[in-house]
Structure formats: structure tokens, C-alpha cells
Amino acid sequence: MSGKFTQIYDQSIKNPEDFWKKASDDIFWFKKPNKILNKSNPPFYKWYEDGVTNTCYNALDFHIDQGKGNKIALIYDSPITGNKSKFTYEQLRSKVSKFAGALKDQGVNKGDRVIIYMPMIPEAVVAMLACARIGAIHSVVFGGFASNELASRIDDSKAKLLVTASCGFEPGRTVEYKPLVDEAIKQAKHKISKMILFQRKDHEVKLSAPMEISWDEAHANTKDTDCVEMNSNEFAYILYTSGTTGTPKGIVRDIGGHIVALKWTMKNIYNIDADDIWWSASDIGWIVGHSYIVYAPLFKGCTTVLFEGKPVGTPDAGAFWKIISDYKVKSLFTAPTAFRAIKKEDPEGKFFSKYDLSKFESLFLAGERADPDTIKWAENLLKVPVIDHWWQTETSWAISSNCTGIEMMKTKYGSACKAVPGYDVKIIKSDQTLAKPNEMGDIVVKLPLPPGTFPTLWNADQRYKENYMSNYEGYYQTYDAGHIDEDGYIWIMSRTDDIINVAGHRLSTGAIEEVLSEHQSVAECAVLGIADKLKGQLPIGLIVLKAGVEKDDDTISKECIKMVREKIGPVAAFKVAIVIKRLPKTRSGKILRGTIRKIADNVEYKMPPTIDDPAILDEIKEDLIKNNILKSA
């Protein structure tokens, strides 16, 4: 293809400084940068190093200055509580400006760190933007995270203040935050100076003065606060990745590149204009929530939806369709697991027919690999493009995608489309040579990474260099594995540690999962390699069935095994497919394959801090024992 996309992509790779200089002209600067890229100290590259700007100014004030203060910036909808509200850019800035004053009153200044441990409520967005307004560095921790994980983030960031709420709501249960926060503060070696707590209606908790104050008390006598001028390379936030051992990795984002890149993506990747309604169904505790609930849509000046609910159970499998219909959403971005959940509960799409989705134009999926069956199911139901795209916490925006605002490309089911402008993606084999088309290997990105990605780790330059930039000189190692085909389409097959070695043959668990997902009764699945004395590793499949399936489990297992042997071949040595009730996942929807593998191999494991429901691991253990994979203790 030699169309518009190829032309723009080539410009971004051949002349990155010119490309990103032009993109930087689209944002507000107190002082425009003259130095676009400093390459003097690889792998520590600096974008726009002499520029001066402010994240909050670009998200709110800039649009108000353009006369768009009465435009709706944020729509909040909570099917769990029944609360709904809308905020114009002017109203949101007023709230942010006052809370910025409240933070200043509590001694928070430019460069100080603020932990935000909150549910999906407007006050969480206000807190993030208020930090940005005064130059404080926020670190959002998923509300309900375990106390020890919260404590480790307090210690690593040396946070001055913590902002939280009395509770969060999940379908059928209330998550009390205060006891979790109290325990985290007790465990943390570093002591925060103040806690501000938002009291949720009918769930108020007792506070211990003077260290703990309510949201309302913090606002007493506060004044509106202006944006402070920030150097482009100062940090906007820290977002910790949820490693299961050791010190968490603090991904940092520099301010200038973050604004430039994210604003650029809204039109070029997602085809979103300022008049559009955008919805990212994620959580502010994850990178998707940072980038595409809060920052990118507000940088663009469009309307963003904040949803406190789930794809099923709040109240039913029509929850997503209702939001899209009620607010005339143009595009939705969510995780594949959300659609698998909807497909499992409502495989015929009966709830869909109740709503008007005439304004809906596209669905974007990311966070884990989207299997072709789920994409095809969504396409058939929605009658709009369904786009699987790939990115990471480290990058903050897509590495590969169908860039719908530049040129719509054809879908290849199972592929995350082509590298996005700015990313020079390669496949490197285990012998350190570049792979040919369709050859499997480690997926890497040639340095320097584009703006908006991570310039280092919080207080850990050496760890940044060793973990990400040393295995392949001159490249960022993504720790994903896959191949690039002859048309430049990228196929993300699995994480590097999910490549299994069966009698010397390297196999992708993602390829086997793709086959299993094609079975008409399978809602979702996971494949993992378990230790085997003879072959090194053997794959086993765990499958969850759609609602209303009448076939017996044994028949479905045999059919799945037959499908894999036919499509992958006997080399896969695939002989075990176990029907289970549910898969263990993180709260963001990623399947905990590594944890399942450790259980199956009878290896000691640590309870993942991000797990949605720890009881599922006991269920998995019982299923593995029942199927003779794991011996009973």
C-alpha cells in the first residue's frame, strides 16, 4: 500500500524530529520548544526539553480560552449507585482549580507526590487534574488494591499526601477503602503527612483529626488556583506496574511529550474530533484510564464518559449498549475480556436490539490479545469496524493499530494491524538476528521511542536500562512475542514467557487459544505450558463455556482437542482441554496465565495483587486435581 498512511508513517520514521515538531504545534505552550529531540545520552532520550507547558492547562483552560467553556467535558454514569452527572469544561475547571487550592493548603507543592486511591467517580478525575495544575506528580493506585501493594507505592514514591474515598462499589458488594488505607499507612515505612477522604453518600466513615480530613473540609476557604509553568521533561505522573515480586516499577510520563502524543492519537488513531462523544470503558487505576478516560480526550477537547459499572451485572449484558445509546457515543475502547463476558451472557445479542446505536462508528479493543472469534462476533452484532490494537503501560498509547483517522486498512483477524507512526517495530529471533516475514521472535521497537512513552523509571534509571534497553542493543524490548507478515501487519501471539517449548518446538499459546476460541461453545479460554519430563513442556487448555450450552463437558473437550490437532498439528501435543466455570483475571481483565502455570507445576506463588477474585485460584486447583494435572496435597 502506498497510500496516505504509508506516507505519514514513513515521514515519522525517516524524519521523527520534523514529524513531532509539527505535532507539537497543536498543543498549548507557555514557551514553545526549540530543541525537539536530545539524543546525547541513550537510552535516555528527551523530547521538547526546552519547552514549557502544563497538563491541566491543555486539558481544560486551553479549550475555555477558545470559547468552549460550555461544552460538556465529562459525563459520569454509575449504574451501581444510580448517579449521573455532566460537567462542562468551565465547571470541571472550577472544581479542579478549587481542589488544586485545597492541595496547596495542605502543603503540596510542585514536584511533590500525591497518591490517589479512588473509585470511578468524578472526584478522582478532579484530583488527577488538580495535581497536574500545581505541578504535583500523581500516582493513581487502583481502588481496592491490597494494603501491602498500596504501602509499597507510598514507600517508593515518598508521597506527601493521599486522596481516597470511603468506599468503592462492585456488583453485589461494597469495598471498604478506609481499613485498607489504614493498614497500608501502618505498613509503609514512609509516612504521608495528610489524607483527604471523599465521603460517599450513606457510606461515611470516621476520620482521625488532624491528619485525616474530609473532601469538604479540605475545600474550606480554598481559592481558585492557576496552572503553574512546567518544563516539558518534568513528570506528570507515576504509574506502578503490578509485578508479583520485589519493588514495583514506577513508569513515569514526561509532560510535554505526553500531551503532544496523546492529543495526536485522538484524531489519527481513533478518528475523534472535538464534537464527538468518546468512551473508554476501563478504570483510572490502569494506563488505559489515565490515557483515554482522562487525558487524551480532554486534550482533544471532546466529551469523555466516566462509567462506574461492568459489562455484565450492572444490571445486565446490555449495560454497554445503554451507555452508547444514552450518550450517542461515537467510539468505544475497552478490553477483549469485556466483550467475551457479554458474549458469554448474551451470545445471541438479544439485549443489543433494545438500544439505538445509530451514532456508534467503531470499537477498539486492547489490553490483551483479541481472538478472531470475539472480533467476528462483535462485528456481526455491531455492524461497525472492530479494531484490535496493541500497546503497553510503558508506552501510554498504541504501538500498532488501524489508524482510522488517517486511512482505514483492511482487518486481518488475529493481527493488531500495523505499527503506528512513531514506532519502528522489528522482530528479533533468539540468535539476535532480525526475523524474516512471518518468522516468530521477540517484538522490539527501535530507539528512540516516540514522545509520550516512558523516558525512565521513577528513581531507577539503571533498572530502566537493564530491564528494557539492554537485551537488544538500540531497541526497546516489549516482552511480547509474535511476527510481522509480508504486508507489515503485526501479530502479537503471547508474552515472551508464554512461548512454550514442546520437544524443541517453540509454540505460541496465543495460536492455540485462537483455535479453541473458534469452537461454537467456547466463551473464553487460556492455554499454558506445564512442565513435562519427556517433552519439556506440554500445553493444556482451560475453557469457559457460553451460557446455555447443552453439550456435555467431555464432548466439548474432545472436540477442542481435535480442532487443535487439525489446525496446529500433532506437534503441539495438545491432549488436555478442561472445562472450568471461570478464569482468574486481573481487575483490568488480563488472564493470570503465569499464576495458573505455577499452580499446575506445583510451584510456590504469590497471590497477585491485581486479582479480581482470589477464590477462583482454589477452583482452578480443584479442577487441575480432578483432571490429574496436579496431585492432591
Side-chain angles (χ1 to χ4, degrees), residues 286-307:
W286 311 126
I287 185 56
V288 175
H290 279 58
S291 292
Y292 291 103
I293 295 175
V294 183
Y295 289 118
L298 295 179
F299 293 154
K300 185 63 183 174
C302 65
T303 301
T304 184
V305 177
L306 181 74
F307 175 67

Side-chain angles (χ1 to χ4, degrees), residues 115 117 141-155 162 175-189 587 609:
I115 297 275
Y117 183 78
V141 179
F142 184 92
F145 235 33
S147 297
N148 63 312
E149 295 295 330
L150 179 55
S152 71
R153 285 148 175 79
I154 292 171
D155 281 339
L162 188 145
V175 182
E176 302 291 347
Y177 283 7
K178 186 63 163 56
L180 293 166
V181 171
D182 288 345
E183 179 58 28
I185 290 171
K186 183 179 167 186
Q187 287 183 23
K189 295 180 180 70
R587 290 183 178 92

Side-chain angles (χ1 to χ4, degrees), residues 82 90 106 108 152 158 214 242-243 289 291 293 311 332 461 488 512 540:
E90 189 78 63
Q106 300 305 325
V108 177
S152 71
K158 302 288 188 288
S214 72
S242 50
S291 292
I293 295 175
L332 166 65
D461 284 355
I512 302 173
I540 65 167

Side-chain angles (χ1 to χ4, degrees), residues 20 23-24 27 29 33 36 45-49 51-53 55 58 230-237 252-265 299 395-397 423 449-455:
W20 291 112
S24 73
I27 79 160
W29 298 94
I36 303 305
Y45 298 92
K46 293 183 177 181
W47 288 96
Y48 315 118
E49 67 177 338
V52 179
T53 186
T55 297
N58 276 276
M230 301 293 292
N231 178 269
S232 179
N233 292 144
E234 292 182 280
F235 296 145
Y237 65 77
V252 291
R253 205 72 65 206
D254 57 338
I255 291 168
H258 179 237
I259 303 166
V260 172
L262 261 60
K263 187 170 185 179
W264 181 89
T265 66
F299 293 154
T395 64
S396 94
W397 57 285
Y423 290 97
L449 294 174
T453 54
F454 70 144

Side-chain angles (χ1 to χ4, degrees), residues 25 84 170 184 186 228 238 357 570:
D25 291 338
K84 298 178 185 180
E170 297 282 337
K186 183 179 167 186
V228 302
I238 308 167
L357 273 72

Side-chain angles (χ1 to χ4, degrees), residues 21 174 197 210 278 306 333 354 367 377 463 470 482 536 539 584 598 610 624:
K21 163 72 171 69
T174 300
L197 183 142
W278 163 263
L306 181 74
F333 177 178
K354 299 178 183 180
W377 181 85
R463 191 178 182 190
S470 296
K598 285 179 180 175
T610 54
L624 294 173

Side-chain angles (χ1 to χ4, degrees), residues 524-563:
E524 56 182 346
C525 63
V527 172
L528 52 141
I530 60 169
D532 180 77
K533 288 179 182 176
L534 180 63
K535 294 181 180 283
Q537 284 180 298
L538 284 176
I540 65 167
L542 304 177
I543 52 181
V544 178
L545 305 183
K546 295 174 183 173
V549 171
E550 293 179 358
K551 275 186 185 177
D552 66 274
D553 293 356
D554 190 50
T555 300
I556 292 170
S557 293
K558 287 175 180 173
E559 289 173 354
C560 285
I561 291 165
K562 185 169 181 279
M563 286 172 67

Side-chain angles (χ1 to χ4, degrees), residues 58-302:
N58 276 276
L60 301 175
D61 302 66
F62 178 70
H63 309 300
I64 296 166
D65 293 347
Q66 307 293 314
K68 297 176 181 176
N70 291 325
K71 178 179 173 54
I72 299 298
L74 181 69
I75 296 171
Y76 169 59
D77 192 306
S78 172
I80 296 179
T81 64
N83 292 331
K84 298 178 185 180
S85 49
K86 294 181 180 180
F87 305 87
T88 65
Y89 274 87
E90 189 78 63
Q91 289 168 335
L92 188 56
R93 181 178 70 172
S94 176
K95 287 182 173 295
V96 168
S97 177
K98 284 184 170 54
F99 192 62
L103 291 174
K104 294 280 283 183
D105 290 346
Q106 300 305 325
V108 177
N109 294 302
K110 179 178 174 178
D112 288 336
R113 276 77 63 206
V114 175
I115 297 275
I116 299 172
Y117 183 78
M118 297 188 87
M120 290 283 285
I121 54 177
E123 289 74 17
V125 177
V126 167
M128 292 170 73
L129 291 167
C131 288
R133 196 167 189 84
I134 62 172
I137 300 169
H138 68 64
S139 183
V140 181
V141 179
F142 184 92
F145 235 33
S147 297
N148 63 312
E149 295 295 330
L150 179 55
S152 71
R153 285 148 175 79
I154 292 171
D155 281 339
D156 193 68
S157 66
K158 302 288 188 288
K160 180 175 264 190
L161 183 141
L162 188 145
V163 185
T164 188
S166 54
C167 68
F169 298 115
E170 297 282 337
R173 70 187 181 113
T174 300
V175 182
E176 302 291 347
Y177 283 7
K178 186 63 163 56
L180 293 166
V181 171
D182 288 345
E183 179 58 28
I185 290 171
K186 183 179 167 186
Q187 287 183 23
K189 295 180 180 70
H190 172 81
K191 298 305 172 188
I192 61 168
S193 61
K194 189 76 75 170
M195 178 202 299
I196 299 175
L197 183 142
F198 179 77
Q199 301 277 19
R200 301 202 73 176
K201 190 179 177 185
D202 300 325
H203 285 84
E204 291 82 4
V205 296
K206 188 177 178 181
L207 298 175
S208 301
M211 196 195 96
E212 301 173 2
I213 59 172
S214 72
W215 183 272
D216 291 341
E217 288 172 321
H219 281 80
N221 305 314
T222 57
K223 296 175 182 176
D224 287 333
T225 303
D226 288 334
C227 294
V228 302
E229 295 186 5
M230 301 293 292
N231 178 269
S232 179
N233 292 144
E234 292 182 280
F235 296 145
Y237 65 77
I238 308 167
L239 182 57
Y240 287 96
T241 57
S242 50
T244 54
T245 59
T247 310
K249 283 185 292 192
I251 305 297
V252 291
R253 205 72 65 206
D254 57 338
I255 291 168
H258 179 237
I259 303 166
V260 172
L262 261 60
K263 187 170 185 179
W264 181 89
T265 66
M266 286 304 288
K267 176 59 182 175
N268 289 281
I269 295 179
Y270 303 104
N271 198 28
I272 294 294
D273 294 303
D275 292 334
D276 293 327
I277 314 297
W278 163 263
W279 178 26
S280 177
S282 182
D283 189 284
I284 57 160
W286 311 126
I287 185 56
V288 175
H290 279 58
S291 292
Y292 291 103
I293 295 175
V294 183
Y295 289 118
L298 295 179
F299 293 154
K300 185 63 183 174
C302 65

